[in-house]
Amino acid sequence: MGEHHLPPEPTDHHKGGKAVHADDLKPARRRRYGYYGSTGSGALSTICSVLLLLILLAGVIALVLYLVYRPNSPAFTVTNIAVYSLSNVTGPSAGLPAAGARAPNSVAASFQCALVIRNPNGRSSARYDRLTAYVVYRGEAITAPAEMPPLVQDPDSAVVVAPVIGGGGAAPVPVSPEAAAALANDVSYGVVSLRVVLLGRVRFVSGPFRSGWRSMYARCDMLVGVRKAPGNVGAAAVPEAPLFGNPSCNVDI
């Protein structure tokens, strides 16, 4: 039989050398170090910090300006009221469509109300526009809206307006039967609860700052003393009707 020869052993087997791994045969990756990377990150961080500081500073300035120039709502006070006419009206004058039909309930009323408007803002003037006033009884209007001229008011000042509401040839205002009956009863008693409503818009001006136009809704509740007219047709004309208690006014803007 022929002789079998074993393959020769690696020469480094007896030298204690380590085996070569496949990954060691791959070309080494070069690590690149950016010399300007840290400088760019620092500049970006500085810019962000400056922008944040400016935003915070602008917010603080805006808050201070708002607290200093923040306008307060104007205040209204009723000083007196004159009752020129106040009576129920039925029949053709109230708009009866045909003879024999049931007459609608209407009220013919005319007043002149003195209102004191006070601007409590010491740094802002007030501008009023599109002002209208009317009188309400038991939640129902008993006069047509009366237009008022625009008004300019200085800071921390008061002005008196005295619009004539109703009358002047205006048609009677339709009301519910319940309101007509209650009005006749109150007139006979001598005291009528009325509400004067003032609608419009207002804006405030303080130096270079101007607010936008805001809707205004003011209402003043009062108890008015009236005298019964001769012939039992309503309240007699009273140049200055007495006011009972302190009329209260509320303003929504």
Side-chain angles (χ1 to χ4, degrees):
M1 295 180 65
E3 295 182 357
H4 296 280
H5 298 279
L6 296 176
E9 296 181 357
T11 56
D12 58 346
H13 177 72
H14 299 285
K15 296 180 180 181
K18 296 181 180 179
V20 178
H21 196 273
D23 292 340
D24 296 337
L25 300 178
K26 296 181 180 180
R29 297 180 181 177
R30 297 181 179 179
R31 297 182 180 179
R32 297 181 180 180
Y33 297 91
Y35 294 98
Y36 302 99
S38 59
T39 304
S41 300
L44 181 61
S45 177
T46 302
I47 293 175
C48 292
S49 300
V50 172
L51 290 177
L52 180 60
L53 181 61
L54 291 177
I55 292 174
L56 292 177
L57 183 60
V60 171
I61 294 175
L63 178 61
V64 171
L65 291 176
Y66 172 76
L67 294 177
V68 172
Y69 294 99
R70 177 182 56 181
N72 296 317
S73 300
F76 288 75
T77 305
V78 176
T79 57
N80 58 66
I81 186 171
V83 180
Y84 296 137
S85 64
L86 179 60
S87 61
N88 290 325
V89 179
T90 57
S93 61
L96 184 64
R102 184 178 179 182
N105 297 279
S106 300
V107 172
S110 178
F111 308 90
Q112 186 172 20
C113 183
L115 289 167
V116 177
I117 306 176
R118 182 176 178 274
N119 178 16
N121 302 289
R123 295 182 176 87
S124 303
S125 61
R127 307 284 194 273
Y128 304 91
D129 192 19
R130 299 180 183 177
L131 297 175
T132 57
Y134 60 94
V135 178
V136 175
Y137 174 76
R138 289 191 172 227
E140 300 183 35
I142 58 175
T143 66
E147 295 184 359
M148 300 171 57
L151 179 64
V152 178
Q153 192 172 15
D154 294 331
D156 195 17
S157 63
V159 63
V160 179
V161 295
V164 176
I165 309 172
V173 178
V175 296
S176 64
E178 294 78 12
L183 179 61
N185 184 64
D186 290 346
V187 169
S188 63
Y189 184 70
V191 178
V192 179
S193 176
L194 299 176
R195 167 177 285 187
V196 176
V197 177
L198 187 66
L199 300 177
R201 61 179 189 172
V202 60
R203 75 184 305 178
F204 299 95
V205 179
S206 179
F209 302 101
R210 293 190 177 188
S211 68
W213 287 105
R214 304 179 183 179
S215 298
M216 183 182 65
Y217 171 46
R219 62 269 187 204
C220 299
D221 297 321
M222 67 198 79
L223 290 175
V224 181
V226 295
R227 293 199 306 264
K228 196 173 182 180
N232 195 24
V233 295
V238 181
E240 288 189 12
L243 295 174
F244 298 100
N246 296 320
S248 61
C249 297
N250 296 306
V251 182
D252 291 333
I253 293 181

